[in-house]
Structure formats: C-alpha cells, structure tokens
Amino acid sequence: MERMQQIVGQARAAFNSGRCRSLGFRMQQLKALEQMVQEKEKEILAALKADLHKSGPTAFSHEILGVLKELALAMDKLPSWAAPQPVKRDLLTMRDEAYICPEPLGVVLIIGAWNYPFVLVMQPLIGAIAAGNAVVVKPSEICENTARLVSDLLPQYLDQELYPVVTGGVPETTELLKQRFDHILYTGNSTVGKIVMAAAAKHLTPVTLELGGKSPCYIDKDCDLAVACRRITWGKYMNCGQTCIAPDYILCDPSIQSKVVENIKATLQEFYGEDVKSSPDYERIVNKRHFKRILGLLDGQKIAHGGEADEASCFIAPTILTDVSPESKVMEEEIFGPVLPILTVKNVDEAIEFINRREKPLALYVFSNNKKLIKRVISETFSGGFTGNDVIMHFFLSTLPFGGVGNSGIGAYHGKHSFETFSHHRACLIRDLKMEVMHKLRYPPGSQKKVDWAKFFLLKRFNKGQIGLVILALLGIVAAVVTIKMVYY
C-alpha cells in the first residue's frame, strides 16, 4: 500500500512541478520513446516470442509498426492538437476571445492487456504523454517477459518520476486502484472492467474501458466468398484468435455454409501449410488456463475442421464449428481463441435481429457486394466499430476512434482521439471592461424590453451578409448612447 502511494505521489509531485506541460518536453519524451522502440527492437521481439510464440515479422507488424506510426503522427501533429481552438461567437461576444484550450488531466493510469502486451500499453501511453500527463504504467503480468522488458526499458528512456512502471499481479493492481488518478485506461475483459470502474468511482475518476465481446461477421450470398473467407481467416486466426476485435462467429445463409468452410480451409493451408503446428506464423494460447477454457467450448459441437490440441505447448489448431446452436456454450462468452462457430440465418433481417438480441459488440463485420445492405446493417445495429468487406482494419486507421459501446467498452483512443481522451477541454472566454452599455441587458432591474433585446441578440439568426449590417447597426446604437450621455451628463 505504501509503495503504491509513494509511486503515485511521486508522479503527482512531478506533474505539479509543471515540467510536462511544455510542448518541448512532451516532444522530447515522445522522441525518446521512439528511440527506445528502434534501439530495442530485437529485445521486444524476443519477449513477444517467449510470451506468445510470435515470429519476428508477425510481432513487428502487430506490435511495433503501429507504435512507430502512432509516435510519428503524434510528433507531427502535437503543435496543432495542443493549440487553442477558436470557437464561434454570438452577437453579445463578438468582440471577445473565445476558445477551447486542451489541458493535461494530471496523473493517469494505463493498465495493459496480455494479448498484445506491447502495443496496448504503448499506444495509450503515447497519447497520454502527448497530452502532457504523468502516467503510471501497469503492463499485464500474464506476459511476464514483455512486462519485465517494459519495466526495464521505460526508465532508461523516459522521465522516471513522471512515467513509473508497476509490475505484479492482482494484489499490486488492487492496491494501485485504491489510489486517486485523474483518468484510468484499462484494456481487458468486462468482469475486471467493472472492478476498475467501481474503484475509479470512489474518486470520481473518469475511465476509458477497452473491453471485448462477441463480434459478429455476416456474409451475404452476394459476395466474393474466396476473398471474404481469406480476410476473415486472417483476422480470426491471427494471434491464435486472441484478438479483441477478431470475428467471433459467422452468420450466413444455410446454402453457403459448406462453401464458407471449404474456402476457410483452403486459406488456412495457404497461410500455415499442411502442418499448422510447425508454422512460424501461428501463435499459441497464452497459458494452460485459457487453453482448457477454449477446449471446453468445443464440448458437444460439430467440428468441421481442426480441433487438434497439445496442452504441453498450448497449441490449438484453427477450428471451424458448423450448425452451431445460439444457446450453446460457445455462444455465451467471447471465445478469444482459434475457434470459429458458423450459425445459419435466412437473410439479413434475421442476422440484424440476432445481433441486436445480444450485447453491443466491440466490432461488427459485413461482407457483401451490395453497399446498400452494408449501410443498412450500420443503420440498424450498434457496435464499437464497423468494417465492411474486411475485418479488423478500422483499428489501423488512426483517424478513426477505437473503442466499444455498452458492454464492450467506454470511450475511445488512437491518434488525435488518444490526445483528446487524456486532455481536459477547457472553455475560455476573455472579455474587456469596455462597452458596459451592452451588458446592461443582464443587470437588474428586469424588463420586457430587456428580454426582447436579449432574444434579438441570442435567438435571431442571420446570414453572413446580414451580420455585417447588424454589427454596423449595433455600433450606431452604441455611438448614439454615448453621444446622448455626453450631451446630457
């Protein structure tokens, strides 16, 4: 308890010193983080290999490339992101200065996830640093090699007081959550998300919760099945299915179910060869607990492909289930593994109804040549994100916010959205002490005449041409009032 108080207290004292508010300091820290990723690439890849059996090229594309891209964007755009943003004024404030000023929140906590243990810590960290905050970083203890590496590397490159790293498991995280933060970002499951939110509520701390859920994938009969299944296979089985926005299950017409299976099987052979287990591009389940949980979902199911497993190496082959019942165990929870159930629906109406009966998912995918059908699914469903004719790719576009809705999460980040998540948008209005006659409308005593003038100033709408005339008229009124005062007083 005392250790956590000391860590957070030190970070708050460092924040209160004001050194992280300058753009120059923030830029320096972001450049240092970029230097760390570039100089320690081999060590990062080795840790990911040890934790999740990720090959070098896969680990780089999944975990490092996105971090470097986010860093480049933040360093390029930070001056414009942090600049005061002028806002429109009304007739009563047309002479004033009105703007929104992005300000740091203070000390924030980032709790990372184990499935992408490097990128899911670094991406929000970049946004929090760019916004001028102090950050306590808590990597997932499940991927212990990556957690240890992050704990070792960050103090070598970043300000140690402003950006401390806390390692450990549930006891350490529990003690950390007892401390007061100005924002908490957590990535993980909804069960722990509720615990984080409850702890944050005691201090009225806002949260960003990146959770998960069962992300549906509807395949229309009118589409290129070979292309659709290749893209689905890539998204479903990357990282051995341990991706929060992986397609969790497929909805399709009964007439194309067998074709979907055959196309996915062909793609699996194309991606991983005859012996998936020996493929360097196929990862492993993170630990034996999750291995047993996923195998338990296969009980009583019709396995159309795969199903092989090896507990010693936490290997589960890419698996396809057909004729799955909506009430089966595999449809009750997020799978988070290389198991793909296929459920049949008669048409898009039934698919929409099926999706809307369940919790709002983190992502939703539709494959169809009919753009109107795709737009219809968007307009008649809810999800954190949506991609048509592909999967997962909305995650990589930094101009799109990434986050859930309802049970799949609260808030969003990525690119400028990360900066905004970790900023307070301060409303600023600067006036002068002149033109006091214009302010008498709001002073007592009240009168109907004052109300009528207020309605004119605040409710009347003018086009651009009329505004100039109104301003001239107002100046005339003010001049007349001043003249009368000079004559009679």
Side-chain angles (χ1 to χ4, degrees):
M1 181 71 170
E2 289 183 7
R3 176 172 168 261
M4 297 306 169
Q5 284 181 335
Q6 183 180 2
I7 290 170
V8 178
Q10 182 177 267
R12 192 166 296 282
F15 174 80
N16 289 338
S17 74
R19 65 177 181 265
C20 58
R21 294 197 69 160
S22 77
L23 291 191
F25 180 87
R26 302 183 208 180
M27 197 72 77
Q28 181 188 46
Q29 296 298 301
L30 292 172
K31 287 179 180 176
L33 193 58
E34 182 183 51
Q35 183 183 357
M36 181 196 85
V37 177
Q38 292 172 339
E39 291 181 352
K40 301 299 181 180
E41 179 184 317
K42 289 183 179 178
E43 290 85 346
I44 296 167
L45 295 178
L48 293 168
K49 175 75 172 177
D51 286 329
L52 289 162
H53 197 260
K54 292 194 178 193
S55 68
T58 299
F60 184 88
S61 62
H62 288 181
E63 303 259 5
I64 294 179
L65 190 59
V67 173
L68 292 174
K69 180 185 175 186
E70 196 89 350
L71 279 164
L73 178 68
M75 289 187 286
D76 180 49
K77 298 294 185 180
L78 182 55
S80 62
W81 291 351
Q85 307 295 321
V87 298
K88 288 184 177 180
R89 293 160 294 174
D90 56 27
L91 290 174
L92 290 178
T93 55
M94 61 185 177
R95 298 182 65 255
D96 304 326
E97 189 179 353
Y99 59 90
I100 297 169
C101 183
E103 296 184 336
L105 295 172
V107 181
V108 306
L109 171 63
I110 293 173
I111 305 176
W114 56 261
N115 57 324
Y116 291 90
F118 189 72
V119 68
L120 293 182
V121 165
M122 292 299 144
Q123 279 194 333
L125 175 61
I126 292 165
I129 292 174
N133 299 282
V135 188
V136 178
V137 177
K138 173 61 181 69
S140 172
E141 73 280 4
I142 294 177
C143 284
E144 56 184 21
N145 296 285
T146 306
R148 190 183 310 115
L149 184 68
V150 169
S151 178
D152 291 343
L153 292 184
L154 282 187
Q156 296 178 37
Y157 289 84
L158 300 184
D159 187 302
Q160 296 183 23
E161 294 178 335
L162 281 166
Y163 313 112
V165 182
V166 174
T167 56
V170 173
E172 289 79 9
T173 305
T174 301
E175 290 303 317
L176 201 53
L177 287 171
K178 291 178 181 178
Q179 310 307 310
R180 178 180 171 270
F181 291 95
D182 299 293
H183 195 96
I184 298 175
L185 185 145
Y186 164 77
T187 304
N189 61 62
S190 58
T191 301
V192 178
K194 292 174 183 177
I195 295 172
V196 171
M197 195 169 182
K202 294 178 181 178
H203 302 286
L204 294 179
T205 298
V207 296
T208 300
L209 303 178
E210 299 294 343
L211 307 178
K214 297 184 74 62
S215 297
C217 179
Y218 175 67
I219 305 177
D220 185 31
K221 287 192 293 183
D222 179 19
C223 83
D224 187 326
L225 276 183
V227 172
C229 291
R230 184 178 294 111
R231 295 178 182 182
I232 293 168
T233 302
W234 169 77
K236 176 62 183 181
Y237 299 108
M238 67 186 290
N239 203 33
C240 206
Q242 298 164 122
T243 303
C244 59
I245 50 173
D248 190 272
Y249 60 92
I250 287 175
L251 297 171
C252 68
D253 188 276
S255 65
I256 64 170
Q257 180 178 228
S258 61
K259 295 176 184 177
V260 169
V261 172
E262 292 308 311
N263 274 285
I264 293 176
K265 287 168 63 176
T267 305
L268 286 169
Q269 185 168 339
E270 175 189 336
F271 287 177
Y272 306 115
E274 291 286 351
D275 183 9
V276 179
K277 192 176 182 181
S278 64
S279 170
D281 297 308
Y282 190 72
E283 292 85 2
R284 297 294 184 270
I285 300 302
V286 68
N287 56 31
K288 287 183 169 54
R289 180 172 71 86
H290 282 283
F291 174 88
K292 292 176 180 177
R293 177 189 64 80
I294 295 166
L295 280 189
L297 299 177
L298 302 182
D299 291 345
Q301 296 298 324
K302 181 180 177 181
I303 298 175
H305 180 76
E308 300 84 10
D310 174 36
E311 184 174 352
S313 61
C314 288
F315 167 81
I316 298 178
T319 301
I320 307 169
L321 307 179
T322 54
D323 301 322
V324 176
S325 166
E327 287 75 37
S328 61
K329 188 178 179 182
V330 75
M331 292 303 296
E332 290 178 358
E333 62 181 74
E334 183 179 7
I335 296 169
F336 225 64
V339 176
L340 181 58
I342 300 177
L343 295 86
T344 57
V345 290
K346 296 176 183 177
N347 48 44
V348 68
D349 301 290
E350 195 171 308
I352 290 171
E353 183 184 350
F354 186 93
I355 293 165
N356 287 337
R357 284 201 304 266
R358 285 157 176 75
E359 295 284 0
K360 297 172 184 176
L362 185 56
L364 173 57
Y365 307 113
V366 175
F367 286 84
S368 176
N369 287 322
N370 185 345
K371 290 293 178 69
K372 288 184 178 180
L373 182 144
I374 293 174
K375 293 289 182 69
R376 182 189 166 197
V377 175
I378 293 175
S379 66
E380 296 184 18
T381 60
F382 299 92
S383 64
F386 179 95
T387 298
N389 290 325
D390 210 334
V391 298
I392 295 180
M393 293 305 295
H394 64 286
F395 176 90
F396 298 106
L397 185 57
S398 59
T399 49
L400 288 175
F402 175 72
V405 59
N407 208 56
S408 61
I410 298 171
Y413 71 113
H414 280 191
K416 187 180 181 182
H417 305 287
S418 297
F419 178 86
E420 292 179 343
T421 287
F422 292 112
S423 295
H424 167 62
H425 304 282
R426 191 178 193 179
C428 298
L429 178 68
I430 302 175
R431 319 197 76 181
D432 59 35
L433 296 173
K434 300 175 183 178
M435 303 288 286
E436 182 64 5
V437 66
M438 297 293 294
H439 300 280
K440 289 190 174 183
L441 291 175
R442 59 190 170 101
Y443 298 152
S447 70
Q448 185 58 44
K449 193 171 185 179
K450 286 184 177 181
V451 171
D452 292 339
W453 275 109
K455 287 164 68 176
F456 173 80
F457 284 124
L458 298 177
L459 301 182
K460 186 75 174 175
R461 294 181 179 272
F462 302 96
N463 60 40
K464 289 183 179 180
Q466 292 173 319
I467 288 175
L469 295 174
V470 171
I471 292 173
L472 287 173
L474 290 173
L475 290 174
I477 293 170
V478 172
V481 171
V482 171
T483 301
I484 290 170
K485 281 191 172 184
M486 291 175 65
V487 171
Y488 289 99
Y489 297 97

